[in-house]
Amino acid sequence: MVGYAHAIVSASDYLRVIGPADLVGCRYRLVQRRRYPSAPRSDSSLMRLERIKLAREVVLDCLPQRPALGDGRSQRFIRIDIARVSLEEDSFAAELATLEALAAEATLITGAVFTGESENTPWRIDVDILVRQPEGTYLPVIISNHRVARAAPGQSTPVLATGRLGLGKIVNGAFRLRHHAGDGHRLAFAARALQDLDLDSGRGGLIGQDRSRAFIVDTDHFQEPLTVALTSALPAGPRRVKGCASCRFWPECESELKALDEISLFLPGDRARSLREAGIETVSELVEGNRGELSALARAWRDGVPLLRRVDQIEVPAAEVEIDIDMEAYLDQGAYLWGAYDGERYRPFVTWESMDSDAEAENFASFWAWLMERREQAHAEGKSFAVYCWSANGENHWMKMSARRFGGQRFGDLQVPRQEEISEFISSSEWIDLFRLVRTQFAGPAGLGLKIVAPVAGYTWADGDFDGEASVNARRLARGVDKQAMEMRALLLRYNEDDCRATAAVRDWLRHGAPGTPRL
């Protein structure tokens, strides 16, 4: 590792410099960033930047400004906040301010910037918080929108309250850490910068979706993965991956891929690895390659056919009382909207309050009470009953998670169900994952998402380009009380209703024999 060289980055040469985000996911983005420096950020990217900006604001507001009562008046405490600069801006002033704050032995430093060079690669790292340790070293703390830890009885993880950074002592909490490569790279870069200044504590902090806690980790085990990433050669050309659709360079990459008829257009990521090893590099080669279903799907993709039928006779369960539901969650923090459509009326159970609160618990209790009341009424009338959703993983997760977090809590006549009640329902024949039924009877060259299948069934969304990424941003804006917040609330309810109605439309289409779908 080359020694620390501060202020090496100027506004004119920032394109040479890499950051942690350049080392995860598609590495060809770095090539394209240098080739097309003026390409504007995508809407999805701007939304993510806005969310992390808000996260930083929340956390920085929680940090102490001075010792609290009980800390003792004699305790030394200095907090220095450095104005944050974007990757495209000259970092000289921010980096100089960082060095001055370190020289002043500040207790807390926010907005720190370091540049350096490792493996002949210049880099820059922005560190959200630096916390001075008793021995004079510094603990780098990063803010992330990931869920960096979960409660786990019996586990022991070092943790420190955000509001006590620089003042409190680290304690052990019952949590299990969750690793994210990008977060690890950020802490590894920060540790390298501090090590070059002989100020590295050997540990770092992670503040995730739970803004109230910093989880403490050793940074040594992040160093080898960072070195591997830094020394890996950049790709010679693009390949389609999951995140391409939201990338600002996708128009350029797509053009290159189409010119090559590159197989990743049809099989993104590593899905075509075995085919490449067999010498198949293009979609046309796969179509003509006699690879059974895979070749048939490649042909359908090339011809613009969204669905192929696996079976002659379509089967889908039916009941006298049928309800379609769809859930919306905010990141990994909680479910705020449970929508239900009974064939006549859409009914939303929604809260715009913060997650992990009484409001979220009461909202789920209301939804559950309504659903179970409909179930009991059907049974009392001697009618069959079924609840449908599209891909039950999300609904199952948040029903079980809500019961685990809030089970047994009462709100007047309402009570949050316990985990046993949830398990009984989702394991019953009355809870039907329509996606699983479709997957056994159809194949789709671009997958079998609801937004692929429902249009074939004749259903269209009122807001066609609104998706999961946009819904996360809309939920953040919907928490306000202004006109924009009201518009976002209406949009989210409309989006959720469309998902419920689309599921019902697919069921109806299936029962009519799924007209218009060719046989595989």
Side-chain angles (χ1 to χ4, degrees):
M1 182 168 63
V2 178
Y4 180 78
H6 65 81
I8 65 168
V9 184
S10 69
S12 61
D13 65 6
Y14 80 91
L15 290 174
R16 297 190 305 108
V17 179
I18 61 95
D22 296 314
L23 301 177
V24 294
C26 173
R27 297 295 303 279
Y28 197 65
R29 283 178 304 159
L30 183 57
V31 176
Q32 297 293 59
R33 193 185 80 185
R34 293 166 176 170
R35 186 179 294 170
Y36 305 104
S38 60
R41 292 185 181 273
S42 67
D43 289 344
S44 295
S45 175
L46 292 173
M47 290 177 190
R48 287 192 291 271
L49 286 174
E50 191 63 29
R51 290 199 297 272
I52 194 62
K53 177 184 176 183
L54 178 62
R56 290 193 184 103
E57 291 174 356
V58 171
V59 171
L60 296 186
D61 284 346
C62 292
L63 295 179
Q65 297 284 355
R66 62 189 64 83
L69 291 174
D71 287 327
R73 292 185 177 182
S74 62
Q75 181 165 347
R76 183 179 180 276
F77 184 90
I78 301 173
R79 172 174 168 174
I80 297 177
D81 298 305
I82 300 169
R84 193 172 186 88
V85 293
S86 71
L87 290 175
E88 293 80 9
E89 294 178 289
D90 193 333
S91 66
F92 178 84
E95 189 170 6
L96 182 60
T98 299
L99 295 175
E100 291 175 342
L102 291 170
E105 299 182 349
T107 313
L108 287 183
I109 305 169
T110 71
V113 176
F114 298 101
T115 57
E117 187 171 315
S118 298
E119 326 305 335
N120 298 316
T121 301
W123 48 260
R124 167 179 160 176
I125 179 64
D126 294 49
V127 185
D128 296 307
I129 309 165
L130 290 172
V131 185
R132 184 173 171 82
Q133 302 299 284
E135 69 277 10
T137 61
Y138 277 85
L139 176 84
V141 179
I142 65 167
I143 300 167
S144 171
N145 267 332
H146 296 131
R147 173 72 72 176
V148 301
R150 280 200 179 278
Q155 298 288 313
S156 181
T157 296
V159 62
L160 181 58
T162 303
R164 296 291 293 165
L165 286 173
L167 293 171
K169 294 183 178 180
I170 295 172
V171 299
N172 287 323
F175 297 93
R176 179 185 293 110
L177 292 174
R178 298 180 65 186
H179 177 63
H180 300 272
D183 293 341
H185 290 338
R186 291 171 68 189
L187 285 178
F189 271 131
R192 291 189 182 196
L194 290 168
Q195 185 179 39
D196 289 337
L197 295 169
D198 293 326
L199 293 174
D200 178 31
S201 66
R203 296 188 297 179
L206 293 160
I207 298 176
Q209 291 182 19
D210 179 357
R211 312 302 185 199
S212 68
R213 297 181 178 94
F215 295 93
I216 311 303
V217 296
D218 293 332
T219 55
D220 286 348
H221 64 276
F222 296 136
Q223 295 299 342
E224 184 177 352
L226 176 58
T227 298
V228 170
L230 286 168
T231 54
S232 298
L234 292 176
R239 284 188 182 176
R240 180 172 165 249
V241 295
K242 182 179 179 180
C244 282
S246 62
C247 178
R248 58 174 156 168
F249 304 116
W250 174 237
E252 287 76 20
C253 291
E254 184 181 28
S255 177
E256 292 183 51
L257 291 168
K258 285 184 175 180
L260 296 169
D261 191 31
E262 224 282 332
I263 196 170
S264 65
L265 284 167
F266 168 58
L267 295 174
D270 290 332
R271 293 174 57 195
R273 178 180 297 176
S274 62
L275 295 173
R276 294 182 192 280
E277 292 172 351
I280 297 176
E281 298 280 351
T282 69
V283 176
S284 295
E285 288 171 345
L286 177 56
V287 170
E288 305 301 327
N290 296 318
R291 295 272 173 162
E293 181 176 305
L294 201 55
S295 291
L297 286 171
R299 182 178 291 106
W301 178 87
R302 186 187 62 185
D303 296 342
V305 178
L307 285 181
L308 296 175
R309 182 200 300 255
R310 294 183 184 276
V311 297
D312 293 323
Q313 186 67 35
I314 305 299
E315 296 182 2
V316 58
E320 293 168 285
V321 177
E322 296 183 322
I323 295 173
D324 298 275
I325 71 168
D326 184 68
M327 172 277 309
E328 306 293 340
Y330 182 69
L331 299 176
D332 201 20
Q333 294 182 11
Y336 65 91
L337 170 57
W338 296 87
Y341 175 62
D342 64 4
E344 296 181 357
R345 177 190 173 192
Y346 165 73
R347 178 160 183 165
F349 298 84
V350 63
T351 176
W352 306 113
E353 302 298 321
S354 63
M355 299 290 96
D356 200 21
S357 65
D358 283 351
E360 182 190 354
E362 184 174 4
N363 184 61
F364 180 64
S366 296
F367 162 73
W368 185 259
W370 178 85
L371 188 65
M372 292 300 102
E373 182 181 349
R374 294 296 302 268
R375 187 190 197 192
E376 292 165 6
Q377 181 181 349
H379 291 172
E381 295 173 356
K383 295 179 179 179
S384 55
F385 178 81
V387 183
Y388 302 82
C389 74
W390 192 270
S391 188
N393 289 338
E395 280 75 10
N396 286 350
H397 170 79
W398 282 114
M399 280 194 278
K400 291 188 288 187
M401 184 62 70
S402 298
R404 186 182 308 164
R405 291 152 69 209
F406 309 121
Q409 291 187 26
R410 299 197 70 91
F411 302 91
D413 294 334
L414 300 173
Q415 183 175 18
V416 179
R418 299 188 186 278
Q419 295 183 62
E420 297 78 20
E421 297 175 70
I422 299 297
S423 296
E424 181 276 326
F425 173 67
I426 65 177
S427 63
S428 75
S429 61
E430 296 178 331
W431 176 234
I432 300 171
D433 185 343
L434 194 59
F435 167 72
R436 293 183 64 182
L437 290 172
V438 168
R439 187 175 59 184
T440 62
Q441 301 178 86
F442 294 85
L448 293 170
L450 186 58
K451 286 251 179 131
I452 292 174
V453 179
V456 180
Y459 191 86
T460 57
W461 275 253
D463 305 281
D465 58 348
F466 193 76
D467 58 14
E469 177 80 30
S471 73
V472 173
N473 195 58
R475 170 60 175 77
R476 178 180 64 80
L477 297 174
R479 290 199 58 201
V481 294
D482 57 6
K483 180 181 178 182
Q484 183 186 39
M486 299 305 108
E487 291 174 349
M488 291 300 101
R489 293 181 184 188
L491 176 58
L492 286 165
L493 292 174
R494 195 163 60 241
Y495 172 63
N496 182 262
E497 179 176 0
D498 269 334
D499 280 355
C500 293
R501 289 179 176 270
T503 306
V506 171
R507 287 194 290 104
D508 182 66
W509 174 71
L510 292 172
R511 287 167 185 162
H512 283 84
T517 51
R519 191 69 160 79
L520 183 65

PDB file of all heavy atoms in Angstrom, residues 2-6 8-9 17 95 114-118 121-125 196:
ATOM      1  N   VAL A   2       0.632   2.143  -0.916  1.00  0.00           N
ATOM      2  CA  VAL A   2       1.400   3.368  -1.031  1.00  0.00           C
ATOM      3  C   VAL A   2       1.014   4.318   0.087  1.00  0.00           C
ATOM      4  O   VAL A   2      -0.136   4.368   0.520  1.00  0.00           O
ATOM      5  CB  VAL A   2       1.157   4.021  -2.404  1.00  0.00           C
ATOM      6  CG1 VAL A   2       1.921   5.331  -2.522  1.00  0.00           C
ATOM      7  CG2 VAL A   2       1.589   3.071  -3.509  1.00  0.00           C
ATOM      8  N   GLY A   3       1.974   5.102   0.576  1.00  0.00           N
ATOM      9  CA  GLY A   3       1.709   6.027   1.670  1.00  0.00           C
ATOM     10  C   GLY A   3       0.645   7.041   1.324  1.00  0.00           C
ATOM     11  O   GLY A   3       0.400   7.350   0.158  1.00  0.00           O
ATOM     12  N   TYR A   4       0.021   7.589   2.348  1.00  0.00           N
ATOM     13  CA  TYR A   4      -1.074   8.543   2.193  1.00  0.00           C
ATOM     14  C   TYR A   4      -0.604   9.810   1.503  1.00  0.00           C
ATOM     15  O   TYR A   4       0.446  10.364   1.822  1.00  0.00           O
ATOM     16  CB  TYR A   4      -1.629   8.886   3.579  1.00  0.00           C
ATOM     17  CG  TYR A   4      -2.770   9.869   3.544  1.00  0.00           C
ATOM     18  CD1 TYR A   4      -4.044   9.442   3.187  1.00  0.00           C
ATOM     19  CD2 TYR A   4      -2.568  11.204   3.867  1.00  0.00           C
ATOM     20  CE1 TYR A   4      -5.094  10.337   3.160  1.00  0.00           C
ATOM     21  CE2 TYR A   4      -3.623  12.096   3.839  1.00  0.00           C
ATOM     22  CZ  TYR A   4      -4.881  11.658   3.500  1.00  0.00           C
ATOM     23  OH  TYR A   4      -5.928  12.536   3.477  1.00  0.00           O
ATOM     24  N   ALA A   5      -1.352  10.256   0.522  1.00  0.00           N
ATOM     25  CA  ALA A   5      -1.033  11.489  -0.200  1.00  0.00           C
ATOM     26  C   ALA A   5      -2.272  12.343  -0.240  1.00  0.00           C
ATOM     27  O   ALA A   5      -3.180  12.089  -1.017  1.00  0.00           O
ATOM     28  CB  ALA A   5      -0.564  11.170  -1.616  1.00  0.00           C
ATOM     29  N   HIS A   6      -2.344  13.316   0.634  1.00  0.00           N
ATOM     30  CA  HIS A   6      -3.564  14.105   0.730  1.00  0.00           C
ATOM     31  C   HIS A   6      -3.665  15.104  -0.415  1.00  0.00           C
ATOM     32  O   HIS A   6      -2.680  15.532  -1.002  1.00  0.00           O
ATOM     33  CB  HIS A   6      -3.640  14.826   2.080  1.00  0.00           C
ATOM     34  CG  HIS A   6      -2.572  15.854   2.297  1.00  0.00           C
ATOM     35  ND1 HIS A   6      -2.641  17.112   1.776  1.00  0.00           N
ATOM     36  CD2 HIS A   6      -1.411  15.772   2.989  1.00  0.00           C
ATOM     37  CE1 HIS A   6      -1.565  17.806   2.138  1.00  0.00           C
ATOM     38  NE2 HIS A   6      -0.807  17.005   2.865  1.00  0.00           N
ATOM     39  N   ILE A   8      -4.730  14.849  -3.512  1.00  0.00           N
ATOM     40  CA  ILE A   8      -4.244  14.518  -4.847  1.00  0.00           C
ATOM     41  C   ILE A   8      -5.335  14.698  -5.890  1.00  0.00           C
ATOM     42  O   ILE A   8      -5.067  14.652  -7.077  1.00  0.00           O
ATOM     43  CB  ILE A   8      -3.731  13.067  -4.912  1.00  0.00           C
ATOM     44  CG1 ILE A   8      -4.881  12.071  -4.686  1.00  0.00           C
ATOM     45  CG2 ILE A   8      -2.626  12.833  -3.916  1.00  0.00           C
ATOM     46  CD1 ILE A   8      -4.513  10.645  -5.012  1.00  0.00           C
ATOM     47  N   VAL A   9      -6.581  14.882  -5.461  1.00  0.00           N
ATOM     48  CA  VAL A   9      -7.698  14.908  -6.388  1.00  0.00           C
ATOM     49  C   VAL A   9      -8.098  16.339  -6.692  1.00  0.00           C
ATOM     50  O   VAL A   9      -8.389  17.114  -5.794  1.00  0.00           O
ATOM     51  CB  VAL A   9      -8.916  14.153  -5.816  1.00  0.00           C
ATOM     52  CG1 VAL A   9     -10.023  14.115  -6.834  1.00  0.00           C
ATOM     53  CG2 VAL A   9      -8.509  12.749  -5.420  1.00  0.00           C
ATOM     54  N   VAL A  17     -10.146   8.717 -10.434  1.00  0.00           N
ATOM     55  CA  VAL A  17     -10.214   8.262  -9.049  1.00  0.00           C
ATOM     56  C   VAL A  17     -11.431   7.365  -8.846  1.00  0.00           C
ATOM     57  O   VAL A  17     -12.522   7.659  -9.324  1.00  0.00           O
ATOM     58  CB  VAL A  17     -10.271   9.473  -8.105  1.00  0.00           C
ATOM     59  CG1 VAL A  17     -10.374   9.033  -6.657  1.00  0.00           C
ATOM     60  CG2 VAL A  17      -9.053  10.361  -8.322  1.00  0.00           C
ATOM     61  N   GLU A  95     -10.671  17.927   2.270  1.00  0.00           N
ATOM     62  CA  GLU A  95      -9.607  17.075   2.781  1.00  0.00           C
ATOM     63  C   GLU A  95      -8.679  17.863   3.710  1.00  0.00           C
ATOM     64  O   GLU A  95      -8.250  17.350   4.756  1.00  0.00           O
ATOM     65  CB  GLU A  95      -8.810  16.481   1.625  1.00  0.00           C
ATOM     66  CG  GLU A  95      -7.839  15.416   2.059  1.00  0.00           C
ATOM     67  CD  GLU A  95      -7.224  14.674   0.874  1.00  0.00           C
ATOM     68  OE1 GLU A  95      -7.472  15.063  -0.280  1.00  0.00           O
ATOM     69  OE2 GLU A  95      -6.491  13.710   1.135  1.00  0.00           O
ATOM     70  N   PHE A 114     -10.870  11.706   2.535  1.00  0.00           N
ATOM     71  CA  PHE A 114      -9.485  11.293   2.359  1.00  0.00           C
ATOM     72  C   PHE A 114      -9.285  10.864   0.913  1.00  0.00           C
ATOM     73  O   PHE A 114     -10.200  10.311   0.281  1.00  0.00           O
ATOM     74  CB  PHE A 114      -9.135  10.100   3.255  1.00  0.00           C
ATOM     75  CG  PHE A 114      -9.243  10.365   4.722  1.00  0.00           C
ATOM     76  CD1 PHE A 114     -10.359   9.920   5.441  1.00  0.00           C
ATOM     77  CD2 PHE A 114      -8.241  11.037   5.401  1.00  0.00           C
ATOM     78  CE1 PHE A 114     -10.450  10.141   6.801  1.00  0.00           C
ATOM     79  CE2 PHE A 114      -8.337  11.264   6.770  1.00  0.00           C
ATOM     80  CZ  PHE A 114      -9.434  10.823   7.472  1.00  0.00           C
ATOM     81  N   THR A 115      -8.101  11.088   0.400  1.00  0.00           N
ATOM     82  CA  THR A 115      -7.708  10.491  -0.874  1.00  0.00           C
ATOM     83  C   THR A 115      -6.419   9.730  -0.653  1.00  0.00           C
ATOM     84  O   THR A 115      -5.673   9.977   0.297  1.00  0.00           O
ATOM     85  CB  THR A 115      -7.504  11.550  -1.971  1.00  0.00           C
ATOM     86  OG1 THR A 115      -6.526  12.496  -1.537  1.00  0.00           O
ATOM     87  CG2 THR A 115      -8.799  12.259  -2.297  1.00  0.00           C
ATOM     88  N   GLY A 116      -6.153   8.793  -1.515  1.00  0.00           N
ATOM     89  CA  GLY A 116      -4.949   7.996  -1.382  1.00  0.00           C
ATOM     90  C   GLY A 116      -4.722   7.172  -2.618  1.00  0.00           C
ATOM     91  O   GLY A 116      -5.360   7.379  -3.657  1.00  0.00           O
ATOM     92  N   GLU A 117      -3.809   6.217  -2.525  1.00  0.00           N
ATOM     93  CA  GLU A 117      -3.515   5.346  -3.654  1.00  0.00           C
ATOM     94  C   GLU A 117      -3.185   3.967  -3.121  1.00  0.00           C
ATOM     95  O   GLU A 117      -2.378   3.819  -2.196  1.00  0.00           O
ATOM     96  CB  GLU A 117      -2.349   5.900  -4.481  1.00  0.00           C
ATOM     97  CG  GLU A 117      -2.115   5.133  -5.766  1.00  0.00           C
ATOM     98  CD  GLU A 117      -1.098   5.825  -6.664  1.00  0.00           C
ATOM     99  OE1 GLU A 117      -1.193   7.055  -6.822  1.00  0.00           O
ATOM    100  OE2 GLU A 117      -0.213   5.123  -7.189  1.00  0.00           O
ATOM    101  N   SER A 118      -3.816   2.964  -3.693  1.00  0.00           N
ATOM    102  CA  SER A 118      -3.561   1.573  -3.338  1.00  0.00           C
ATOM    103  C   SER A 118      -3.510   0.752  -4.611  1.00  0.00           C
ATOM    104  O   SER A 118      -4.328   0.972  -5.524  1.00  0.00           O
ATOM    105  CB  SER A 118      -4.659   1.022  -2.418  1.00  0.00           C
ATOM    106  OG  SER A 118      -4.714   1.725  -1.194  1.00  0.00           O
ATOM    107  N   THR A 121      -3.795   2.471  -7.807  1.00  0.00           N
ATOM    108  CA  THR A 121      -5.106   3.032  -8.141  1.00  0.00           C
ATOM    109  C   THR A 121      -5.428   4.181  -7.194  1.00  0.00           C
ATOM    110  O   THR A 121      -5.478   3.986  -5.971  1.00  0.00           O
ATOM    111  CB  THR A 121      -6.207   1.964  -8.013  1.00  0.00           C
ATOM    112  OG1 THR A 121      -5.902   0.873  -8.883  1.00  0.00           O
ATOM    113  CG2 THR A 121      -7.571   2.542  -8.379  1.00  0.00           C
ATOM    114  N   PRO A 122      -5.617   5.414  -7.709  1.00  0.00           N
ATOM    115  CA  PRO A 122      -6.008   6.527  -6.837  1.00  0.00           C
ATOM    116  C   PRO A 122      -7.454   6.381  -6.394  1.00  0.00           C
ATOM    117  O   PRO A 122      -8.310   5.952  -7.169  1.00  0.00           O
ATOM    118  CB  PRO A 122      -5.816   7.763  -7.725  1.00  0.00           C
ATOM    119  CG  PRO A 122      -5.959   7.263  -9.115  1.00  0.00           C
ATOM    120  CD  PRO A 122      -5.452   5.847  -9.114  1.00  0.00           C
ATOM    121  N   TRP A 123      -7.724   6.719  -5.128  1.00  0.00           N
ATOM    122  CA  TRP A 123      -9.082   6.568  -4.612  1.00  0.00           C
ATOM    123  C   TRP A 123      -9.446   7.735  -3.713  1.00  0.00           C
ATOM    124  O   TRP A 123      -8.589   8.492  -3.255  1.00  0.00           O
ATOM    125  CB  TRP A 123      -9.261   5.256  -3.867  1.00  0.00           C
ATOM    126  CG  TRP A 123      -8.201   4.916  -2.849  1.00  0.00           C
ATOM    127  CD1 TRP A 123      -7.154   4.057  -3.026  1.00  0.00           C
ATOM    128  CD2 TRP A 123      -8.093   5.396  -1.496  1.00  0.00           C
ATOM    129  NE1 TRP A 123      -6.397   3.981  -1.874  1.00  0.00           N
ATOM    130  CE2 TRP A 123      -6.954   4.790  -0.911  1.00  0.00           C
ATOM    131  CE3 TRP A 123      -8.850   6.272  -0.729  1.00  0.00           C
ATOM    132  CZ2 TRP A 123      -6.554   5.033   0.401  1.00  0.00           C
ATOM    133  CZ3 TRP A 123      -8.462   6.518   0.599  1.00  0.00           C
ATOM    134  CH2 TRP A 123      -7.325   5.912   1.138  1.00  0.00           C
ATOM    135  N   ARG A 124     -10.729   7.833  -3.463  1.00  0.00           N
ATOM    136  CA  ARG A 124     -11.256   8.824  -2.528  1.00  0.00           C
ATOM    137  C   ARG A 124     -12.318   8.148  -1.676  1.00  0.00           C
ATOM    138  O   ARG A 124     -13.123   7.361  -2.176  1.00  0.00           O
ATOM    139  CB  ARG A 124     -11.866  10.006  -3.284  1.00  0.00           C
ATOM    140  CG  ARG A 124     -12.719  10.912  -2.384  1.00  0.00           C
ATOM    141  CD  ARG A 124     -13.297  12.083  -3.137  1.00  0.00           C
ATOM    142  NE  ARG A 124     -14.454  12.648  -2.433  1.00  0.00           N
ATOM    143  CZ  ARG A 124     -15.117  13.731  -2.819  1.00  0.00           C
ATOM    144  NH1 ARG A 124     -14.744  14.377  -3.901  1.00  0.00           N
ATOM    145  NH2 ARG A 124     -16.170  14.148  -2.130  1.00  0.00           N
ATOM    146  N   ILE A 125     -12.313   8.479  -0.390  1.00  0.00           N
ATOM    147  CA  ILE A 125     -13.330   7.948   0.507  1.00  0.00           C
ATOM    148  C   ILE A 125     -13.916   9.083   1.340  1.00  0.00           C
ATOM    149  O   ILE A 125     -13.183   9.890   1.904  1.00  0.00           O
ATOM    150  CB  ILE A 125     -12.756   6.839   1.431  1.00  0.00           C
ATOM    151  CG1 ILE A 125     -13.828   6.317   2.393  1.00  0.00           C
ATOM    152  CG2 ILE A 125     -11.538   7.315   2.198  1.00  0.00           C
ATOM    153  CD1 ILE A 125     -14.982   5.627   1.731  1.00  0.00           C
ATOM    154  N   ASP A 196      -2.470   5.306   7.367  1.00  0.00           N
ATOM    155  CA  ASP A 196      -1.373   6.094   6.816  1.00  0.00           C
ATOM    156  C   ASP A 196      -1.038   7.303   7.690  1.00  0.00           C
ATOM    157  O   ASP A 196       0.047   7.881   7.574  1.00  0.00           O
ATOM    158  CB  ASP A 196      -1.714   6.558   5.398  1.00  0.00           C
ATOM    159  CG  ASP A 196      -1.704   5.411   4.406  1.00  0.00           C
ATOM    160  OD1 ASP A 196      -1.048   4.393   4.680  1.00  0.00           O
ATOM    161  OD2 ASP A 196      -2.370   5.530   3.364  1.00  0.00           O
TER     162      ASP A 196
END
